[in-house]
Amino acid sequence: MIELKHIEKYYNAGTVNEMCLFKDFNLTVHDQEFISVVGSNGSGKTSLLNLICGTLPLDDGKIVMNGNDITHMPEYKRQRLIGRVYQNPAMGTCPNMTILENMALADNKGKPFNLLPGTNRRRMDYYRTLLSTLGLGLEDKMSVKVGVLSGGQRQAMALLMSTMTPIEFLILDEHTAALDPKTADTIMMLTDKIVKEKKLTTIMVTHNLRYAVEYGNRLYMMHQGHAVLDKAGKEKESLNVDAILSQFNAISIECGN
């Protein structure tokens, strides 16, 4: 479980352009919840993820993960607990390294550096088995550099690599936004499969309302740094795209868009 307690975050603090994004913001994500976060641009979705991951510092408040206060834990230490997949497929993999080298890099996440070879050839069969679960034929391209793969293949690899080591939390930052519709559907099915198999607590930010409705067990809509909709379980199952779109339109009209 992860808890955000009385969070405050300002941008350009102390200047004429000061903007308060979060004011006494609270959110609890329970174990094995898969929460889909939607909202208009500037509503605080990505900032929320950055606060959790430690990319963005808090101005006030507390972040607690499984009872441990991680508010002041540096980003590199949080990455041992958190897996993150970004919108840009290039951010989750190393393009100038082979598939094998990328898999080995992910396999060594959180382990101490030493003078041993970075790639353990004895793990190759294990990597092939993992890659075969993607159904993309990558297990037969271990020596191919990741930079020549398609965006969908790279994003599938990034998803797999982010969950190779034991993690407590998975962050999906619009991870299908840069993909064509068919590939995006494939990545979402893989996402759902991995989340369920590994029983991961997950936050997915998405602009795709269909994905928000179809996947996960909780839907959370943000606007100007606070929640305007929070439905879980049976209530979430009763939602449809039209209902979510109506809420979006109501907010847009209210803001004069």
Side-chain angles (χ1 to χ4, degrees):
M1 179 171 73
I2 191 163
E3 301 169 275
L4 285 80
K5 300 181 177 181
H6 310 293
I7 299 300
E8 293 193 8
K9 181 60 190 176
Y10 295 83
Y11 285 100
N12 303 313
T15 73
V16 294
N17 296 318
E18 179 175 296
M19 188 271 286
C20 177
L21 179 58
F22 292 116
K23 180 74 172 178
D24 195 28
F25 177 82
N26 296 275
L27 173 65
T28 298
V29 183
H30 298 282
D31 290 341
Q32 296 184 36
E33 257 190 340
F34 183 168
I35 175 171
S36 298
V37 180
V38 297
S40 56
N41 291 332
S43 61
K45 304 184 302 300
T46 297
S47 293
L48 171 65
L49 301 187
N50 287 335
L51 289 172
I52 292 171
C53 292
T55 310
L56 197 63
L58 290 175
D59 290 316
D60 201 3
K62 184 184 293 186
I63 300 176
V64 178
M65 181 180 288
N66 292 338
N68 299 312
D69 188 344
I70 65 167
T71 307
H72 302 294
M73 181 183 288
E75 182 181 7
Y76 75 92
K77 288 187 177 180
R78 295 192 198 189
Q79 298 315 304
R80 299 171 184 171
L81 309 172
I82 300 171
R84 185 170 185 174
V85 184
Y86 296 86
Q87 177 178 339
N88 184 353
M91 293 186 68
T93 53
C94 299
N96 293 321
M97 297 173 69
T98 65
I99 291 177
L100 172 60
E101 291 167 339
N102 271 267
M103 295 293 284
L105 193 64
D107 197 17
N108 289 319
K109 176 183 175 182
K111 296 178 182 177
F113 292 101
N114 50 46
L115 297 178
L116 295 174
T119 303
N120 185 347
R121 296 277 169 176
R122 290 176 294 180
R123 300 281 283 173
M124 284 186 67
D125 288 341
Y126 171 64
Y127 299 153
R128 285 196 180 96
T129 300
L130 285 180
L131 289 165
S132 67
T133 65
L134 300 177
L136 299 173
L138 297 178
E139 65 274 15
D140 299 321
K141 301 177 180 179
M142 299 285 280
S143 61
V144 172
K145 288 191 175 182
V146 170
V148 304
L149 301 180
S150 70
Q153 289 173 320
R154 292 180 70 171
Q155 200 68 315
M157 271 196 66
L159 180 62
L160 182 64
M161 290 165 57
S162 70
T163 57
M164 277 181 67
T165 55
I167 57 172
E168 299 182 20
F169 208 67
L170 178 62
I171 293 286
L172 304 170
D173 190 1
E174 297 187 48
H175 70 309
T176 63
L179 307 175
D180 65 80
K182 183 179 178 181
T183 304
D185 283 346
T186 299
I187 295 299
M188 277 309 307
M189 287 188 286
L190 287 171
T191 299
D192 194 49
K193 179 174 179 286
I194 289 173
V195 167
K196 287 177 178 176
E197 286 180 352
K198 294 182 177 286
K199 299 180 180 180
L200 296 173
T201 305
T202 306
I203 289 184
M204 177 180 73
V205 166
T206 180
H207 282 296
N208 189 310
L209 299 185
R210 179 170 67 84
Y211 293 159
V213 169
E214 290 182 3
Y215 293 95
N217 49 26
R218 182 176 173 189
L219 193 146
Y220 194 80
M221 182 184 289
M222 297 183 68
H223 177 58
Q224 296 181 347
H226 65 274
V228 293
L229 184 70
D230 187 1
K231 300 291 184 181
K234 294 294 183 182
E235 286 188 329
K236 195 263 186 183
E237 291 175 9
S238 67
L239 294 174
N240 56 50
V241 173
D242 289 339
I244 306 299
L245 188 58
S246 296
Q247 186 92 9
F248 258 115
N249 290 337
I251 291 172
S252 295
I253 291 171
E254 178 184 326
C255 294
N257 294 331

